[in-house]
Amino acid sequence: QVLSLVVPTQLQRVTHQALHRLFHTRSCLFVGLHIALQAAVFGEYTWEVFMYCWELQFHLLLLLLLPYLLLAGNVGCFLLCSRANPGIVTKSNAASLVEVYAYDGVLFQRGLVCPTCAVEKPARSKHCSVCRTCVHRFDHHCVWVNNCIGASNAGVFLLYLLSLTATAGAVAAVTAALLVQVLLLSNAMHGTYLDAQGQEHAVEIPFLVQHLFLTFPRIVFMLGFVILLTLVLGGYCSFSLYLALTNQTTNEWCKSRRFGGSSPLPSQPCDKPLVYKNIYSKGIWRNLKEIFNPTTVLERKKK
C-alpha cells in the first residue's frame, strides 16, 4: 500500500517539474517546434502542391508564390519579436517609465514596489516569472517566440500573428484550389457510383472527400491541419486586434474579468465595489499608433 501511494506521488512531482520547466522557464523547445511545423507544412506544400500545380499548368504563379512571400515576412517578424527587448523595467529607467502611463487606481496603484526587481512598478507593468524581469505595458509571455510581449514589441507581435494567419490561409487556399482543379479535370463531380445493392447514385461531397483522401492522403491531411490552424490563429488574431483597438493588454483584460474579488482601496468605502474602467483607450487611430510607436516619457512631458 505504501508503494502504491509513493509511485503516484513521485509521478505527480515529475509531471509538475516537467510542466514547470516547459512553461515557466525560458526554453527554445516551442521555438524549435514552431520551426519544425512550418518546415513540415512548407515541405509538403512544395513537394506535393507546388509540383502538382506546375504539372497541371496552374497559371496563377503569383498565387503559388504568395505563401512563400508571406512566410518571409512572418520569419522576419518572428525574429524581431523574439530578439527584441519587450520593455524591461530597470532601476535606471523605472522613474521615467512611471511617468508614461497614469495609474487607474484599480488594476494599477502608485507606490507599489516589485519584491523581486526592487523597483517601483510603473502603471501597466508586471513582473514575468519566466523572464524574471518587470516588463512595461506587459501583455503576456509567449512561449512560441520565447520572449515577453510588452511595450517595445507589441506591434511586431501583432504583425507576426497577422502574417502567420495569412500564411496558413494562403496555403489552405492554394491547396484547396488544387484539389478542386483535380476534380474538375477528372470530371469526378459529374460521375456516378454503385452502392452495395448495385444501385447507381450521383457522387456527393462525402464521396468526393473520400476519393481525394484515398488519392492524395498527405495533401488532404495537410489541408485539414492548415484549415484548423487558420481558424485557431484567426480567432486569436481577432482577439489581439480587439485588444489593440481598445488599447488593452491580455494581462489587463484577464485581470478586469476577475476583479470582482479584489479588495477595495483605502480611500473608498468598504461597501462600495470597485468598478474597472479602461482609461488608456484614446480612440482607434491613437491606440494603433501607440502599439506601433510606443509613447516615450519625453513625448509625454511635451504633451
Side-chain angles (χ1 to χ4, degrees):
Q1 292 179 351
V2 174
L3 181 61
S4 63
L5 293 176
V6 171
V7 173
T9 304
Q10 292 179 343
L11 182 60
Q12 290 176 359
R13 186 182 298 110
V14 172
T15 304
H16 176 74
Q17 291 177 351
L19 292 176
H20 184 272
R21 290 180 180 179
L22 190 62
F23 293 103
H24 296 281
T25 57
R26 286 182 64 87
S27 172
C28 294
L29 177 62
F30 284 96
V31 175
L33 180 60
H34 175 205
I35 295 174
L37 286 174
Q38 281 194 329
V41 169
F42 272 88
E44 183 66 20
Y45 173 81
T46 303
W47 181 255
E48 297 279 356
V49 177
F50 190 88
M51 297 306 296
Y52 271 122
C53 290
W54 192 267
E55 292 178 3
L56 294 175
Q57 297 181 350
F58 211 79
H59 298 294
L60 298 177
L61 183 61
L62 181 60
L63 181 61
L64 290 175
L65 296 178
L66 180 60
Y68 296 104
L69 298 176
L70 292 172
L71 176 65
N74 178 250
V75 170
C77 292
F78 171 78
L79 293 175
L80 289 174
C81 191
S82 61
R83 298 176 64 87
N85 180 345
I88 297 176
V89 181
T90 63
K91 292 182 179 180
S92 60
N93 65 9
S96 300
L97 293 178
V98 164
E99 303 299 325
V100 175
Y101 292 112
Y103 291 86
D104 63 359
V106 182
L107 298 182
F108 307 104
Q109 302 179 33
R110 183 179 293 275
L112 296 180
V113 177
C114 175
T116 305
C117 301
V119 296
E120 184 179 358
K121 299 177 67 173
R124 311 190 78 181
S125 67
K126 185 179 182 298
H127 182 83
C128 176
S129 60
V130 181
C131 296
R132 299 179 182 178
T133 57
C134 284
V135 178
H136 190 225
R137 199 186 181 279
F138 177 85
D139 191 276
H140 71 288
H141 181 88
C142 180
V143 296
W144 295 105
V145 300
N146 198 26
N147 198 5
C148 277
I149 307 304
S152 300
N153 63 350
V156 179
F157 180 73
L158 185 59
L159 292 177
Y160 162 74
L161 280 180
L162 290 170
S163 60
L164 188 60
T165 306
T167 302
V171 171
V174 175
T175 306
L178 167 66
L179 295 177
V180 171
Q181 184 73 3
V182 168
L183 291 176
L184 292 175
L185 292 176
S186 63
N187 203 28
M189 301 178 66
H190 303 287
T192 58
Y193 70 95
L194 298 177
D195 60 12
Q197 288 74 33
Q199 295 181 351
E200 188 176 11
H201 298 277
V203 296
E204 299 174 348
I205 293 180
F207 181 88
L208 294 175
V209 172
Q210 183 181 12
H211 169 70
L212 289 173
F213 186 79
L214 293 175
T215 309
F216 309 101
R218 291 168 54 181
I219 295 180
V220 174
F221 178 80
M222 184 194 73
L223 176 61
F225 172 76
V226 175
I227 289 177
L228 178 62
L229 188 64
T230 303
L231 294 176
V232 173
L233 288 172
Y236 183 47
C237 199
S238 300
F239 174 69
S240 298
L241 277 173
Y242 162 75
L243 293 180
L245 295 175
T246 56
N247 205 336
Q248 296 183 80
T249 65
T250 304
N251 177 54
E252 293 165 0
W253 186 86
C254 292
K255 281 186 174 180
S256 66
R257 292 301 177 274
R258 61 172 185 263
F259 191 73
S262 300
S263 58
L265 294 174
S267 59
Q268 288 187 305
C270 295
D271 58 345
K272 184 179 180 181
L274 292 175
V275 178
Y276 170 73
K277 182 181 179 181
N278 180 17
I279 66 171
Y280 304 112
S281 181
K282 307 167 186 175
I284 293 177
W285 173 249
R286 294 182 66 184
N287 290 342
L288 289 176
K289 183 179 178 180
E290 184 175 308
I291 293 291
F292 293 101
N293 185 24
T295 303
T296 64
V297 64
L298 295 177
E299 293 173 346
R300 184 175 177 83
K301 287 182 178 178
K302 290 179 181 179
K303 294 177 183 178

